[in-house]
Every structure is written in structure tokens, then in C-alpha cells.
Amino acid sequence: MVESDPGPKKPHNCDVKSEHQLKGPGSKTIELGIVPSLKTPGKLDPEKGPNSEKADFEKAIELAGYGRFHYLLLAVCGLVSTSEEMDVISMSFILPSAQCDLNLTTQTKGWLNSIIFIGMMMGAYAWGSVADSLGRKRVLIAISIVNALAIVASSFSQNYELFMLFRFINGAALGGSGPVIWSYFAEFQPKKKRGAMLSFMAAFWTLGNLFVAGLAWVIIPSEIGGTTNGFVYNSWRIFLLVMSLPSFVVAALLFLLPESPKFLLSTGRHEDALEVFRGIYMMNTGRSKEEYPVKQLLVDESMICKPEKQIETKEAKSKMRQMFSDIVEHSKQLFVPPILKFTTISITINFTFHIGYYGLMMWFPEMFNRFDEWSRTHDNAEADICMVTKYVTQSGTHSAASQCDAHIHSDVFMDSLITVAAAIPSNIFAVLGMDRLGRKFFLVFATFSAGCCSAAMYFVYNKTNNLIVSAIFSSVISCGNASLDCLITEVFPTNLRATGVAVSMVAARLGGIIGNVVIAALLDTYCPAPTFIVAVLLAGGGLMCLLLPNTTRQALS
């Protein structure tokens, strides 16, 4: 046993002679951190017993306890997730109100729904790769600030083109939020609680939907705001401005949290990782950092060590060149065996799932508005979704001959609120059962059920039926979203996790784009097609998860 060299810290140095000690020839485990002087002759082997001074990552996280730190982490990361969903889904409430100000048609509404996903698709890959190179925390703070500023700018936009530009920037920032926050949150969780806590965080998406629906109901119909010298700042723009507030709050709160210890270990910053564990221990237990029982971290050498020459070369490079070099390297590793299988399947599942999730969820307020218009003009006469759409586009407010009417009745917002609230019970079910029944059970059940709901939408004959089917769809698809997030986050190794999730999110955003554009194109021209296309894709895509390994209650690789 040798004392660690107290010389200058080199974050990426794997010089085992000065900072670490191999256990023996051919050993795959390395002891990291401060090595205390063992002067007592009869002292027990520190690798034995419940208060072991040596521990791998999973043991170290367990010995840090579970308490106040993790609840703070859940609150902040959950708010990031809430903010992301609020920004995405807010557009569905803006469309009916902004159609006059921005001269929107069904097709341009489809592109407005899609532009944020185009931005997210491009941003997800870039931000995810940077997070695997520079760290999760700093990237999340940057994302939150850019996102908030883009939303504020979009609320002041006076024409369709400028509004599209800022929504694209908004999407580019949001694209990194999903993959990075899920990787960050998962890397603080012990394996026994990870599934439940990831499901708990997924429930914040539902919370985001509820906030959006509630705020839209309060703000948009109020007709607050006004016009000054041709500059319009009305209620739906004020609603957008309010949507930016959570992102500003998130950026401030993230400064309270540490960097992911899993990421620190993967980049060779072993003492920094140990210090994070000490801080978590102190916050959870109320004891001093010095009482934390782990003094050395046992880490698989394949996770941390790089040839010394390679490290020296990287230190000589500029940080920017090093970052891009890491991005390219991480990307290459995703598309070679054995990771290639995980990447391909996760891309396919995310693509098909989000065609259904965003392809329908983003159009629910619009469909509620159309059913509401039919009911008011036809004395609540029965009609299916295609009859309603034909009337609205040929004779109603969406027809070329009609005068634009941006007034939305409060019933539309109430229906939207009921629909997103229906996801609360399923989220509770996911939290309680994710570690018992497993990720695959929830994903297959949810996608098959959501597919059935999508097909059933063709057979609804009044606004009440439409509301019931939409609420059931929202409930089961939310449950599936939680399981998908868990599964995809856990299946990739630490050094590729954010990049892997980001690539999967790119596929998800592409699904959101295609879902919105296709539904917009087919809804008014060939009505039955969208619901059945979504039904087949959801059910088929969900079954792909059976080809992935079981990650329930397993240690993160």
C-alpha cells in the first residue's frame, strides 16, 4: 500500500504509480482516492465489513445514504424536465389563438409544431456529445439560459418567419436538456432506487403539462395585453413570456448541485468524485465529511485509464479541438458492436413512440377546438372526427371564406387540462411498479394500449367520446414515456450515456416532426389515415424493447 502523491492535480491523468495502486498483476480493479496510513498492526482489511474503506461506485453511492440531497436533486432535475415539457407542449395551446396574428393555416400550424423538434433534433446530438466531454452540470446551465432567452424573444416576434426562427433556437436548446438531465440524474441513483426515481422524474413531464394547460386556461382567454403603434403584445404572447420563467429559475438552482460523480470518474477526476460522495453523505446524514467511510474508490480500469502519451497530446490541444475530438470519438463508438445493437433499437423505439406521443398530443387542443366549434353550430349533433374536420375546413373558422376568429372557449382549455391530468394515476403506478414489474412490461403495455386508443379515435362521435379516448391515450402514453426514459438511459455505458441518449432523442424529435407534418397534411385531406398510422407504429415500436437487455435493478455500466 502506497501513499497517494499530494502533487498538482491532473484531472485526466491515469498515472497509477503516483495516484492509484493496482491490486495485482492482471487485475481489472483500481483503488482510487486518498489512501490513509494504516499504522495499527491489528487493523482489519478495509475491503471487509460494512464500513469498508474501499468501495466501487455502486457501494460508494449506497454508503452516502439516501435523503435530503436526492430530494433536492429530484426537485431541480424535475423542474428541468417540467420546463422542457412546458416549452414543447405550449405551442399546442398557442396555435388556435395565434392563427390570426401569424396568418396560420393547418399546414403552417403543423410546421410551427414541428420547428421546435427540428431544433431539438439538431441540438440533442451536439449538447449530448458536449456533456460527455465537458460535464453535465455546466451544459445544463448553458442550455437553460439559452432556452429562456429564446422564449422571451419569440414572445416579442410579430411575424411568422421571426417566430419560427426563435422557436427553432428554443428547440436547439431544449434538445440537449432531455439527454443530459436524464444522464445526470441517473448517475446519482443507487441501483435499488433508480427505476422508481427515474419514473418519479418522468412524472414531472405530466406536471409540466398540467402547468401549461392551467396557465393557458387562465391567461389566453383573458385577452390581456394590447397594441401600441402596430406592435401587438396580447395574451398568448404573455403566456409565452410566463413559460420562460422556469428556465431562468432552473439555471440558478443548478449552481447548488455538484457534477456527476460517475462522469468525474470516467474522466479520471477521482478525488473530485470522492469529494462529491462526501458532500452527499454530509447532506443526507448530517455528519461531517470526514466520517464518510469510503476512502478509496475501486473502478474498472477500462472506464478510466488512457495511454499517457494520448493524455499528454490532449493536454497540448486546445480545449475546443479536444471537445470536438471527443464528440467524434463518442459518436463512432455508438455505431460499432456491441453498442450498435443498443443504438439501433433505441433509435427505432424513440422514433415510432414519439410519432404517436407528439403527433397526437400536440394536436389535442386543436381537435378539442374543432369539436367545440361543431357542437356550438350543430346543437351537439353527433359526428366523427372526419365530419368535424370537413365542416371546420370547408365552412367553419378554418375555411378560406371565413373571417379569422382567434377566440377560444374555456371548454377547450378545460378538456386539455382533464387530458393531461389523466396521466397522474399512471405516473404513480409507474413510480411504484417500475422496479417490480420492469421497464419492458410498462413499455409494451403502454405502446399497445396507446395504439388501441389512437385507432379508436376514428370511431368517436361526439366531444365527450373524444375527451375520454384522448384522456386514456394521455394516461398510458405517459406511463410508456417513463419506462422508455428509464430503459434508454440505463442501456448505454457511462462514457457514452449522454451521447447515446442524445442520438436516441434525435430520432425522437424526427418522429415528432414527421408526426406533426403528416397529421397536418392528412388530417384535412384524408382524415382516417393519421390515427391508424400512429396505432401501428406505436404497437410495433414498443415490441422492439424485448431485444434490449434487462436493466431493472442492475448496476449502471
Side-chain angles (χ1 to χ4, degrees):
M1 192 72 70
V2 294
E3 292 275 347
S4 59
D5 187 354
K9 180 172 64 177
K10 296 181 180 181
H12 293 280
N13 197 342
C14 280
D15 183 2
V16 297
K17 292 181 290 185
S18 61
E19 294 186 3
H20 324 124
Q21 179 194 22
L22 290 175
K23 291 179 71 178
S27 173
K28 295 183 179 180
T29 303
I30 300 176
E31 302 170 5
L32 307 171
I34 298 175
V35 185
S37 177
L38 303 179
K39 296 181 178 180
T40 306
K43 189 161 184 177
L44 295 174
D45 185 342
E47 287 188 276
K48 298 179 181 180
N51 297 317
S52 174
E53 293 184 348
K54 301 177 185 178
D56 60 12
F57 179 85
E58 291 294 338
K59 187 65 176 177
I61 244 330
E62 287 181 12
L63 290 174
Y66 207 92
R68 284 175 292 179
F69 170 81
H70 291 89
Y71 303 138
L72 173 64
L73 180 75
L74 176 64
V76 176
C77 293
L79 186 56
V80 174
S81 188
T82 297
S83 173
E84 178 187 352
E85 181 66 359
M86 288 174 70
D87 296 339
V88 172
I89 212 71
S90 63
M91 183 53 62
S92 63
F93 294 95
I94 291 170
L95 292 180
S97 305
Q99 61 185 2
C100 297
D101 289 346
L102 301 178
N103 298 315
L104 301 178
T105 64
T106 302
Q107 284 68 38
T108 53
K109 285 179 181 179
W111 280 109
L112 260 183
N113 267 345
S114 298
I115 191 65
I116 194 167
F117 294 114
I118 295 174
M120 291 173 83
M121 184 174 66
M122 298 179 68
Y125 175 74
W127 287 113
S129 299
V130 171
D132 276 337
S133 177
L134 299 184
R136 318 316 195 196
K137 177 181 171 179
R138 283 187 291 177
V139 168
L140 283 170
I141 292 171
I143 286 170
S144 299
I145 293 172
V146 172
N147 180 48
L149 294 176
I151 298 171
V152 172
S154 68
S155 75
F156 286 94
S157 302
Q158 298 294 298
N159 57 62
Y160 175 77
E161 292 76 17
L162 197 57
F163 190 80
M164 285 277 283
L165 172 63
F166 286 117
R167 289 300 287 180
F168 171 80
I169 297 172
N170 180 203
L174 284 178
S177 178
V180 179
I181 196 61
W182 283 92
S183 298
Y184 180 73
F185 184 74
E187 289 169 358
F188 282 99
Q189 306 302 319
K191 60 186 178 183
K192 293 181 180 179
K193 291 181 176 287
R194 192 169 60 244
M197 296 308 292
L198 286 171
S199 301
F200 208 148
M201 200 176 87
F204 279 84
W205 279 58
T206 300
L207 191 62
N209 287 333
L210 284 170
F211 282 159
V212 169
L215 289 169
W217 185 23
V218 171
I219 297 173
I220 295 178
S222 67
E223 299 182 358
I224 56 178
T227 304
T228 305
N229 297 326
F231 180 83
V232 180
Y233 206 80
N234 45 14
S235 59
W236 68 264
R237 299 176 191 276
I238 293 173
F239 168 71
L240 256 187
L241 187 64
V242 173
M243 292 298 100
S244 70
L245 297 179
S247 294
F248 283 118
V249 174
V250 161
L253 290 176
L254 282 167
F255 281 100
L256 301 175
L257 299 177
E259 181 55 88
S260 159
K262 194 81 169 177
F263 169 79
L264 293 172
L265 284 176
S266 71
T267 55
R269 297 162 62 183
H270 316 121
E271 177 56 31
D272 289 342
L274 197 55
E275 185 62 25
V276 171
F277 285 129
R278 294 188 189 110
I280 295 173
Y281 175 81
M282 182 178 69
M283 189 169 181
N284 284 339
T285 65
R287 300 174 182 175
S288 67
K289 291 183 178 181
E290 287 70 26
E291 294 183 57
Y292 180 56
V294 179
K295 309 303 179 185
Q296 295 174 314
L297 295 173
L298 307 176
V299 182
D300 191 307
E301 63 182 339
S302 64
M303 175 182 170
I304 59 170
C305 283
K306 298 177 182 178
E308 190 171 351
K309 289 183 179 179
Q310 180 182 352
I311 295 168
E312 292 172 354
T313 303
K314 282 198 169 187
E315 289 176 346
K317 290 181 180 180
S318 69
K319 289 184 178 180
M320 187 62 67
R321 288 182 62 194
Q322 178 181 329
M323 181 185 71
F324 282 113
S325 175
D326 288 342
I327 289 173
V328 172
E329 183 59 31
H330 291 151
S331 303
K332 286 180 180 179
Q333 292 179 41
L334 288 175
F335 294 94
V336 295
I339 304 298
L340 175 61
K341 176 184 176 181
F342 303 155
T343 306
T344 304
I345 295 173
S346 65
I347 285 174
T348 304
I349 298 175
N350 270 282
F351 177 74
T352 57
F353 183 90
H354 286 87
I355 283 181
Y357 183 76
Y358 285 120
L360 288 183
M361 288 289 288
M362 295 285 283
W363 284 94
F364 279 165
E366 175 73 13
M367 295 313 303
F368 292 150
N369 191 41
R370 293 186 179 190
F371 264 103
D372 182 72
E373 182 178 342
W374 169 273
S375 298
R376 285 185 285 104
T377 55
H378 290 78
D379 195 25
N380 294 317
E382 293 185 354
D384 62 33
I385 192 171
C386 294
M387 292 175 60
V388 169
T389 295
K390 183 177 180 181
Y391 165 74
V392 170
T393 55
Q394 294 184 2
S395 307
T397 55
H398 288 59
S399 64
S402 69
Q403 185 176 358
C404 185
D405 180 14
H407 178 70
I408 309 299
H409 288 261
S410 60
D411 286 352
V412 173
F413 295 102
M414 175 57 77
D415 289 347
S416 299
L417 189 60
I418 292 171
T419 300
V420 297
I424 295 176
S426 62
N427 275 287
I428 295 173
F429 179 44
V431 170
L432 297 176
M434 190 64 69
D435 284 326
R436 292 181 174 86
L437 300 175
R439 287 64 159 145
K440 296 182 181 181
F441 167 82
F442 276 96
L443 188 55
V444 172
F445 166 76
T447 51
F448 184 80
S449 301
C452 292
C453 288
S454 179
M457 287 179 182
Y458 176 67
F459 300 100
V460 302
Y461 52 86
N462 59 43
K463 61 186 296 184
T464 302
N465 294 154
N466 183 56
L467 175 60
I468 292 171
V469 174
S470 299
I472 296 173
F473 178 89
S474 173
S475 179
V476 295
I477 202 74
S478 178
C479 195
N481 188 54
S483 58
L484 180 60
D485 286 336
C486 286
L487 189 60
I488 299 304
T489 300
E490 294 171 338
V491 80
F492 291 103
T494 299
N495 64 315
L496 299 176
R497 182 165 294 116
T499 308
V501 176
V503 170
S504 301
M505 290 295 185
V506 169
R509 306 321 175 195
L510 182 60
I513 295 167
I514 293 176
N516 277 285
V517 172
V518 168
I519 286 178
L522 297 179
L523 191 62
D524 294 350
T525 56
Y526 190 65
C527 178
T531 56
F532 291 107
I533 291 174
V534 167
V536 172
L537 289 174
L538 278 172
L543 292 174
M544 292 284 289
C545 76
L546 299 177
L547 301 176
L548 290 174
N550 177 35
T551 61
T552 303
R553 292 181 178 270
Q554 301 297 313
L556 287 177
S557 59

